[in-house]
């Protein structure tokens, strides 16, 4: 299911123009990271994908649905959205109920709800914690519950808003495994992130936004190699990309293995 | 004598059995910039709360040991006395914004108004603080119209304007763009040089290595190790305990395992990594 964004404009009620003519096509099954300075419009853009925000101008299509023509509740069957702060999202008394809520709300039969919930719990390593109240879990695990409750809805498109913010190395690795599994299943994954190393290691395409417009859009390696352009939106290339450049490597390296292989040559 | 003295501090939140902090002993000199690192749940936020007096004045629970700053004990001060000297920014800036003010300027002035600073002085101090964190262009915006990273800058500014002697920052750059995060580290370094004592919980080891004086690594509520950033961040102990370190350090560690890295020490910065890997080429 493709996403087709055409000349998208959006202004907040206080007059701030957050998006100034974004055009973007995201193909089914792509893994795409959206990067850019604070206030660049990343979250505003992502919230148009599930209809939480409606364009001031231009159009957003999710498959054959234009987002203005469908309520958020209906769009939720196509686009899952994991909020930056899990506490904006969680409300059930135990993890299993929380994770089952989404698929149940989409009207699936009990067997299917159970199967989807179990799969999401396994993927997020929560299978042992199904009876716990989400608010008795550490913030780390609450984040995983928030992920699980969206993954359980089995939407073809999943949006993550800052998935690794405040997460330690072990949990960043867990979240990376979730992204990889969604990719294997053919889902479209869109992540807003400031974690440029996470972006380099887990996404195939990067869109850099600056002041409500697209600054760069392309394959991860091509985008993250453009240090001077990225600087316009306060993004620095990944540590190892900067290191590769400093060492004078011809090709752009984005992860450890590429660096070590390039050094052997 | 050290500016901050934490002695035998053990603390458990209400209705919990496992203490969040166990037997913490920590001395921090005036003007020192100390970074706290550790996994989620290691006790970084709780230690921040204890330094800022929120433990035990706001979060009740069971406390042993004591926290002293500027010669006073937190247990013998009220929270409002304590916070005249000690400023805390919360991990989530949303928890900090007052909700009572329409603009960023008013939000940042709020704390000064509360302690009765004269109007003219408030204006000057707010302008200074806005310049320090480079958010002058946000002054007239509503705090709620801002992005997460911008709100985080506002929260930090609203504490800096109070000129605390001890500044406690709980992951202050978690939602910031990379350049903004680096700027905050650099601004904090400058404040420390001017004599402010700073404790910052953070994950961004590249900037910790460059800007902090000392690193304290927490694991399961205890201090696992502490020392100069280089010594701690390249240590085998940290690696064995699964701490996140910069890609420079981990790539060099892997290169050493493969017999490629020949230098004795591991790098913590781009310069050191370039030097060490440059020798391999």
């Amino acid at each position: 299911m493709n996403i087709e964004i055409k000349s998208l404009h959006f202004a907040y009620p206080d007059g701030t123009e957050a998006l100034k003519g974004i055009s973007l096509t995201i193909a089914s099954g792509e893994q795409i990271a959206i990067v850019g300075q604070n206030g660049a419009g990343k979250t505003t853009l992502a919230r148009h994908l599930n209809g939480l925000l409606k364009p001031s101008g231009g159009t957003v299509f999710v498959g054959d649905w234009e987002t203005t023509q469908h309520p958020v509740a209906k769009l939720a069957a196509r686009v899952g959205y994991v909020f930056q702060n899990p506490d904006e999202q969680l409300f059930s008394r135990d993890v299993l109920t929380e994770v089952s809520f989404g698929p149940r709300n989409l009207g699936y039969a009990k067997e299917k709800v159970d199967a989807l919930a179990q799969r999401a719990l396994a993927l997020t390593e929560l299978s042992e914690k199904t009876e716990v109240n989400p608010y008795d879990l550490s913030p780390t695990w609450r984040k995983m519950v928030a992920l699980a409750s969206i993954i359980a809805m089995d939407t073809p498109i999943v949006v993550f808003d800052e998935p690794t913010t405040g997460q330690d190395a072990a949990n960043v690795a867990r979240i990376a495994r979730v992204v990889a599994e969604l990719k294997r299943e053919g889902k479209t994954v869109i992540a807003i992130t400031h974690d440029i190393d996470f972006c380099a290691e887990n996404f195939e395409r990067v869109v850099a936004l600056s002041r409500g417009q697209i600054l760069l859009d392309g394959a991860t390696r091509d985008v993250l190699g453009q240090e001077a352009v990225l600087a316009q939106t306060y993004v620095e290339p990944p540590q190892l990309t900067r290191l590769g450049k400093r060492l004078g490597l011809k090709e752009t390296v984005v992860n450890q293995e590429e660096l070590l292989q390039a050094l052997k040559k | 004598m050290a500016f901050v003295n934490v002695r035998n501090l053990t603390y458990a939140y209400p209705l919990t059995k496992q203490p969040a902090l166990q037997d913490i002993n920590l001395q921090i000199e005036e003007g020192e910039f100390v970074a706290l690192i550790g996994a989620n749940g290691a006790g970084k936020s709780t230690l921040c709360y204890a330094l800022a007096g929120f433990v035990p004045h706001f979060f009740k629970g069971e406390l042993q040991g004591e926290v002293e700053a500027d010669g006073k004990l937190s247990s013998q001060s009220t929270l409002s006395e304590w916070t005249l000297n000690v400023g805390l920014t919360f991990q989530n800036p949303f928890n900090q914004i007052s909700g009572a003010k329409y603009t960023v300027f008013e939000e940042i002035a709020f704390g000064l108004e509360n302690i009765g600073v004269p109007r003219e002085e408030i204006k000057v101090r707010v302008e200074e603080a806005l310049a320090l964190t480079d958010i002058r262009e946000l002054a007239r915006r509503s705090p709620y119209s801002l992005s997460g990273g911008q709100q985080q800058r506002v929260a930090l500014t609203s504490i800096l304007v109070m000129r605390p002697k001890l500044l406690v920052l709980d992951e202050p750059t978690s939602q910031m763009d990379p350049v903004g995060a680096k700027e905050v580290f650099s601004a904090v370094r400058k404040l420390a040089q001017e004599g402010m004592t700073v404790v910052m919980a953070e994950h961004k080891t590249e900037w910790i290595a460059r800007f902090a004086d000392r690193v304290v690594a927490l694991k399961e509520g205890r201090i696992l190790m502490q020392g100069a950033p280089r010594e701690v961040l390249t240590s085998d102990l940290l690696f064995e305990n699964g701490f996140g370190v910069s890609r420079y350090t981990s790539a060099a560690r892997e290169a050493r395992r493969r017999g490629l890295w020949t230098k004795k020490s591991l790098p913590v910065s781009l310069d050191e990594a370039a030097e060490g890997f440059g020798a391999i080429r």
Side-chain angles (χ1 to χ4, degrees):
Chain A
M1 186 174 295
N2 290 0
I3 296 172
E4 188 77 48
I5 299 167
K6 281 197 185 132
S7 313
L8 174 60
H9 286 260
F10 182 79
Y12 280 100
D14 74 350
T16 309
E17 262 193 281
L19 299 175
K20 302 170 191 167
I22 300 273
S23 292
L24 189 63
T25 303
I26 301 172
S28 194
E30 272 195 289
Q31 269 65 51
I32 175 165
I34 302 175
V35 302
Q37 74 201 91
N38 292 129
K42 303 184 296 298
T43 298
T44 305
L45 174 60
R47 289 190 175 189
H48 277 83
L49 301 177
N50 68 341
L52 276 177
L53 294 175
K54 307 288 188 189
S56 311
T59 54
V60 177
F61 274 90
V62 177
D64 54 353
W65 291 356
E66 195 195 338
T67 56
T68 53
Q69 304 303 311
H70 298 274
V72 175
K74 202 173 159 203
L75 282 161
R78 293 191 169 182
V79 182
Y81 192 104
V82 184
F83 283 84
Q84 182 168 351
N85 181 357
D87 298 350
E88 287 177 29
Q89 191 178 320
L90 305 178
F91 53 85
S92 300
R93 67 183 179 280
D94 65 67
V95 168
L96 182 61
T97 310
E98 182 70 52
V99 174
S100 306
F101 177 83
R104 188 177 298 135
N105 209 32
L106 291 174
Y108 295 138
K110 187 176 181 310
E111 293 73 32
K112 185 165 179 187
V113 170
D114 290 346
L116 288 171
Q118 291 307 331
R119 166 184 153 276
L121 290 164
L123 193 54
T124 50
E125 302 176 33
L126 282 164
S127 298
E128 308 292 310
K129 298 183 170 68
T130 55
E131 291 172 12
V132 183
N133 185 317
Y135 286 94
D136 284 337
L137 292 170
S138 69
T140 311
W141 286 107
R142 280 212 294 284
K143 185 89 178 182
M144 297 313 279
V145 176
L147 256 67
S149 63
I150 298 301
I151 290 165
M153 293 167 77
D154 199 26
T155 53
I157 299 158
V158 184
V159 180
F160 294 104
D161 193 349
E162 298 276 9
T164 62
T165 292
Q167 303 300 313
D168 59 33
N171 220 38
V172 171
R174 250 181 230 120
I175 293 166
R177 286 197 289 276
V178 170
V179 171
E181 177 58 21
L182 293 174
K183 176 182 181 173
R184 206 188 57 78
E185 292 174 3
K187 311 261 194 214
T188 306
V189 180
I190 300 162
I192 296 168
T193 186
H194 289 305
D195 185 340
I196 212 74
D197 295 300
F198 172 77
C199 161
E201 288 155 10
N202 298 286
F203 293 85
E204 58 198 21
R205 178 176 166 197
V206 176
V207 171
L209 292 186
S210 175
R211 300 175 190 276
Q213 293 179 312
I214 293 178
L215 186 66
L216 290 170
D217 176 9
T220 302
R221 183 181 317 279
D222 299 337
V223 170
L224 296 184
Q226 298 191 51
E227 190 162 357
V229 184
L230 287 174
Q232 291 174 35
T233 193
Y234 296 176
V235 171
E236 291 191 320
Q239 292 175 359
L240 297 183
T241 306
R242 281 183 271 152
L243 177 57
K245 281 260 152 69
R246 181 76 77 86
L247 291 169
L249 299 179
K250 280 199 191 76
E251 62 271 56
T252 301
V253 298
V254 297
N255 61 40
Q256 178 173 298
E257 205 45 50
E258 288 180 9
L259 173 76
L260 295 179
Q261 289 305 325
L263 285 171
K264 272 193 189 165
K265 284 177 194 164
Chain B
M1 200 173 77
F3 187 76
V4 175
N5 278 291
V6 179
R7 295 186 200 96
N8 306 319
L9 182 70
T10 295
Y11 171 76
Y13 284 99
L15 309 175
T16 59
K17 289 189 196 105
Q18 181 71 20
L21 295 175
Q22 290 195 63
D23 209 18
I24 301 285
N25 284 287
L26 187 62
Q27 285 76 45
I28 304 171
E29 298 301 324
E30 189 167 4
E32 196 179 6
F33 176 4
V34 172
L36 301 177
I37 61 169
N40 297 134
K44 300 190 299 295
S45 292
T46 310
L47 183 51
C48 287
Y49 295 153
L51 292 167
F54 283 70
V55 163
H57 290 297
F58 181 78
F59 299 105
K60 303 299 178 188
E62 216 163 299
L63 179 92
Q64 289 155 26
E66 56 192 23
V67 175
E68 182 196 293
D70 200 16
K72 298 179 205 68
L73 290 174
S74 70
S75 57
Q76 288 171 16
S77 308
T78 64
L79 187 56
S80 52
E81 287 164 357
W82 193 256
T83 51
L84 285 177
N85 277 335
V86 184
L88 169 74
T89 66
F90 288 93
Q91 200 172 108
N92 184 353
F94 204 75
N95 292 343
Q96 188 150 345
I97 289 171
S98 67
K101 297 294 178 183
Y102 291 110
T103 68
V104 165
F105 191 99
E106 292 170 8
E107 177 68 35
I108 291 165
F110 188 48
L112 296 173
E113 285 177 333
N114 272 333
I115 57 168
V117 174
R119 202 179 157 74
E120 276 314 301
E121 189 186 337
I122 289 181
K123 208 164 161 265
V124 173
R125 281 174 68 173
V126 172
E127 293 286 359
E128 271 175 21
L130 287 168
L132 185 65
T133 53
D134 200 17
I135 56 167
R136 266 176 293 199
E137 80 278 8
L138 301 181
R140 299 166 80 90
R141 298 267 303 271
S142 158
Y144 289 103
S145 75
L146 305 179
S147 76
Q150 289 170 331
Q151 282 187 349
Q152 222 165 8
R153 281 193 169 222
V154 171
L156 174 64
T157 312
S158 68
I159 297 300
L160 289 179
V161 79
M162 305 299 289
R163 296 182 185 156
K165 290 183 183 167
L166 171 61
L167 178 65
V168 184
L169 306 167
D170 191 2
E171 299 195 27
T173 72
S174 60
Q175 300 181 32
M176 287 188 195
D177 56 59
V179 173
K182 185 171 154 187
E183 283 169 6
V184 165
F185 271 92
S186 161
V188 164
R189 169 75 265 164
K190 202 165 150 251
L191 291 169
Q193 262 152 0
E194 290 164 5
M196 199 180 279
T197 307
V198 183
V199 177
M200 184 198 274
E202 257 297 343
H203 293 290
K204 295 189 173 83
T205 49
E206 181 176 7
W207 306 136
I208 290 173
R210 174 141 153 211
F211 294 107
D213 295 311
R214 178 158 46 123
V215 175
V216 174
L218 292 172
K219 188 184 181 188
E220 294 165 5
R222 295 176 188 275
I223 294 178
L224 179 73
M225 82 179 288
Q226 57 173 311
R230 151 181 324 286
E231 174 201 341
V232 175
L233 294 171
T234 61
S235 69
D236 291 342
L237 184 63
L238 222 63
F239 176 70
E240 286 154 13
N241 279 280
F243 279 67
V245 292
S246 76
R247 261 67 173 181
Y248 306 130
T249 312
S250 39
R253 190 179 284 280
E254 178 59 23
R256 186 168 74 182
R257 199 185 64 79
R258 297 184 194 179
L260 295 166
W261 183 268
T262 49
K263 282 187 79 121
K264 205 162 160 238
S265 62
L266 295 171
V268 294
S269 68
L270 176 60
D271 288 346
E272 292 170 11
E275 194 192 326
F277 280 108
I280 295 175
R281 287 202 81 196

